[in-house]
Amino acid sequence: QVQLVESGGGLVQAGESLRLSCSASGPIGSTTTMGWFRQAPGNQRELVATITSGGNTNYADSVKGRFTVSRDNAGNTMYLQMNSLKPEDTAVYYCNLRYDFASVNYWGRGTQVTVSS
């Protein structure tokens, strides 16, 4: 019964940066993958970046080279450093946690990122 809370969203101009955080309640206690997804109005939710307990990362082509995902030592907090933001990055960003060896995953409520041109 993990709870995820995102923070750090806001309104910025194109070219500026934001740092998102996702905090999980309590100890996770298992091998997990955490990830960031985003959804703009009228669009499907899409994968932005993922990071495993071992530190392996994956990025969508649209953000590769601009975004960096990381986790703290305990594995309970995930970050997304977003640089060189574009208007196309405007969306609600959602945090996800998945147990790698169980069919269980959790979602946060999302945080709004708006990039003006």
Side-chain angles (χ1 to χ4, degrees):
Q1 298 184 13
V2 176
Q3 291 189 125
L4 304 173
V5 179
E6 303 96 335
S7 62
L11 173 63
V12 298
Q13 293 184 331
E16 295 182 339
S17 299
L18 281 174
R19 184 173 183 256
L20 305 183
S21 298
C22 172
S23 296
S25 62
I28 303 302
S30 185
T31 301
T32 59
T33 298
M34 297 185 73
W36 290 99
F37 294 73
R38 67 187 182 187
Q39 187 169 20
N43 294 346
Q44 291 187 328
R45 188 171 298 185
E46 64 176 353
L47 174 68
V48 177
T50 62
I51 182 166
T52 68
S53 298
N56 293 329
T57 59
N58 281 296
Y59 297 92
D61 289 341
S62 59
V63 307
K64 204 164 191 175
R66 299 187 297 121
F67 292 9
T68 303
V69 65
S70 60
R71 292 174 76 163
D72 66 2
N73 291 335
N76 289 3
T77 304
M78 176 180 62
Y79 307 93
L80 185 68
Q81 179 66 46
M82 304 185 294
N83 298 328
S84 302
L85 282 163
K86 305 175 181 179
E88 306 93 273
D89 297 318
T90 296
V92 177
Y93 284 70
Y94 296 93
C95 175
N96 174 265
L97 184 148
R98 183 189 72 207
Y99 284 87
D100 293 339
F101 300 103
S103 298
V104 178
N105 70 92
Y106 300 88
W107 292 93
R109 299 287 179 87
T111 185
Q112 177 71 49
V113 172
T114 302
V115 184
S116 62
S117 60

